[in-house]
Amino acid sequence: MMLQIKALIADGILEGVKSIAPQSEMTAEDVLGLLEYPPDPAMGDIALPCFKLAKTLRRSPVQIASTLAPLVSGEAIERAEAVNGYLNIYLSGAYLAEKVVPEILDKKEAYGAPDLGKGKTVVLDYSSPNVAKPFHIGHLGTTVIGHALKRLHEFAGYKCIGINYLGDWGTQFGKLILAYRLWGSKEQIEAGGIDELVKLYVMINNAISGNEEQGIAPNKEYADQARAEFHKMELGDEENIALWKWFVKISLDEYEKTYKQLDITFDSYLGESFYTDKMPAQVEKLRDMGLLKIDDGASIVDLEEHGMPPCLILKRDGSTLYPTRDIAAAVYRKGEYDFEKCIYVTSNQQILHFQQWFKVVELMGYDWYEGLVHVPYGTVSVNGAKLATRTGNVVLLKDLFAAAIEKVTEIMEEKNPDLKGRSDIAEAVGVGAIVFYYLSNNRIKDINFNMEDALSFDGNTGPYVQYTYARACSILEKAAANGVAPCGEGIKLTDPLEKALCVVLSQYEERVRVAIRDYEPSVITRYILDLATAFNRFYHDCAIFSAEDEAIRATRIALTAATKHVLGSAFGLICLRKTEKI
Ligand code: ARG
């Protein structure tokens, strides 16, 4: 809704611009880009800082603002004022409410969906842990950003394929097989699951690299044996392949528990191993096109001309590498899904890797290379030694979730001792707190996890917004019990905080579009906070059940229902569970 109103305003302003400067090439799109939402509704609901036009129009901002003010009008506009070089536009609350609220009550959680993706497919490659290595906090970013981007694209009508590109092939399996033969047992692993695998993995790694401080020398023999075990795997050795499959299954079963807590599912788990037989064709093509160069025995694609170090395709011993597999996988996915975009979510340490192989795909003449998108994110650290695990200095995702759930359970026992279904709710709130905290930052920023902050019920947190959702639900429940129905038509606004809430509700689609355009789920997190805050202010000041007349009561219930739908929809976009009760 807000988008239509802004478009209308932009047309009015453009007309004014053209009347002052007929030769100006400014478009409505340009004007839209200049409009702002003032931080305080006293300065209008939408504003145009006119100094941005001063150069084009060769007038002072003050003059421009007063020239434009009369041109901004229409049903949606209450008034437009020129103040100190700003054009402050006040929207009509009645108009907004009449347009927005019935639409939300009608469409419910489908309200605000941008019509962007019809008939188009997006592939998303995310989470993708390396099997047999710990699934640690570094994977939180790829997992939740990736899934949020999937939900956002789905919401906008794209067909989405979520792929968990498991790191299920490589020398780590040689190490693990060796460690298992040396120190492991079937019973132990069946009982301990992935923790046992990680323990073995850590042991063998320590043995291979040695420990200077403790006077343990690196064990070269183990290193050679591990390599040999992996080589046997590559040759299809039955016993090793069986062990490998078993390790993968144990790991996946464990990851599933975490995914389930997050309400995440994947459409495909084709990992690196799947591409073993698909790489030779691409290597051949590279060779035929004359793109491969031999450098110290290895095969590379020289990217100097493009300002990058070479992309490694084959090692000296002929074995393939991470970029080789990514190239083969992209070609396969294009054939399989005919994607418009293929989005890869990884930490920013892999930026160069993606730039390099995207370039190689381009050089290979695949015209769809422009659809390849890398979405990097910053590093995550955690303070609080309590979270460090037996596996050393990495923090496992499941331990982080468990700690959050435990804390939330404690808080809830204190706050609401009679609550039914507490363990489910504690999981929703504990996991939600971590997800929300993480997604509150611009993805590219490094973040330091602080449990206290994440779990607080009164900061800008997951618990706060989930609590707000629960509040809206309980108001609606009470309304139903008392026979107060939300009104569709006949909305009667009597308080500025009601209008302020409508303004935020009307901005949903716009924010969703920005989140998709910038691959930035934090736009939604911030929107949720804006909406929760607007709703809580409204709720604090506007009595619902004791309001003086029926139309006001019905309006306020309608506003509450609208808030619930939009919050619920936005929660869904960032993997935050809806909590009807807390
Ligand atoms: N398994 C890799 C890691 O944990 C991430 C894979 C990302 N996806 C890709 N297509 N390269 O670092």
Side-chain angles (χ1 to χ4, degrees), residues 244-260:
W244 165 70
K245 282 194 176 149
W246 184 43
F247 294 154
V248 171
K249 177 166 182 336
I250 286 175
S251 307
L252 258 183
D253 286 350
E254 183 68 30
Y255 303 153
E256 281 309 324
K257 292 183 200 158
T258 303
Y259 295 141
K260 199 157 166 260

Side-chain angles (χ1 to χ4, degrees), residues 125 128-130 139 165 167 272 322 326 333 344-346 350 353-354:
D125 174 318
S128 312
N130 294 325
H139 292 101
Y165 181 65
E272 296 190 32
Y322 189 43
D326 259 326
R333 290 170 186 174
Y344 299 83
V345 187
T346 79
Q350 299 194 28
H353 162 72
F354 283 95

Side-chain angles (χ1 to χ4, degrees), residues 406-556:
E406 193 185 307
K407 266 259 175 67
V408 167
T409 308
E410 271 168 37
I411 300 174
M412 280 175 27
E413 269 166 12
E414 223 169 83
K415 282 201 167 185
N416 192 352
D418 304 323
L419 187 65
K420 284 197 203 80
R422 187 188 293 135
S423 70
D424 278 352
I425 300 172
E427 184 181 275
V429 177
V431 172
I434 306 270
V435 170
F436 195 88
Y437 184 82
Y438 181 74
L439 290 180
S440 297
N441 288 281
N442 280 359
R443 60 176 159 75
I444 203 66
K445 278 204 197 143
D446 291 342
I447 94 161
N448 185 18
F449 234 93
N450 181 312
M451 261 307 212
E452 289 293 285
D453 288 354
L455 292 177
S456 150
F457 272 64
D458 12 69
N460 286 336
T461 61
Y464 163 71
V465 299
Q466 284 177 317
Y467 190 77
T468 305
Y469 184 83
R471 168 176 282 164
C473 291
S474 80
I475 296 168
L476 294 172
E477 201 176 297
K478 187 171 164 194
N482 289 289
V484 187
C487 58
E489 320 275 281
I491 289 181
K492 183 173 168 190
L493 297 195
T494 48
D495 190 292
L497 292 174
E498 294 167 330
K499 175 184 154 186
L501 178 56
C502 289
V503 169
V504 181
L505 288 168
S506 71
Q507 292 167 339
Y508 187 42
E509 180 181 340
E510 192 178 3
R511 301 280 198 104
V512 171
R513 283 176 181 266
V514 173
I516 292 174
R517 183 195 69 197
D518 298 347
Y519 304 101
E520 187 61 87
S522 68
V523 173
I524 302 300
T525 321
R526 257 173 253 135
Y527 177 75
I528 290 173
L529 286 172
D530 288 348
L531 182 54
T533 303
F535 176 74
N536 284 323
R537 283 198 189 127
F538 149 80
Y539 175 74
H540 186 265
D541 273 26
C542 303
I544 297 183
F545 295 101
S546 55
E548 52 269 36
D549 79 47
E550 207 183 306
I552 298 179
R553 279 197 293 276
T555 294
R556 292 180 179 172

Side-chain angles (χ1 to χ4, degrees), residues 363-381:
L363 295 173
M364 290 171 89
Y366 290 119
D367 60 0
W368 42 265
Y369 74 92
E370 283 178 315
L372 302 172
V373 183
H374 181 223
V375 177
Y377 58 87
T379 52
V380 186
S381 55

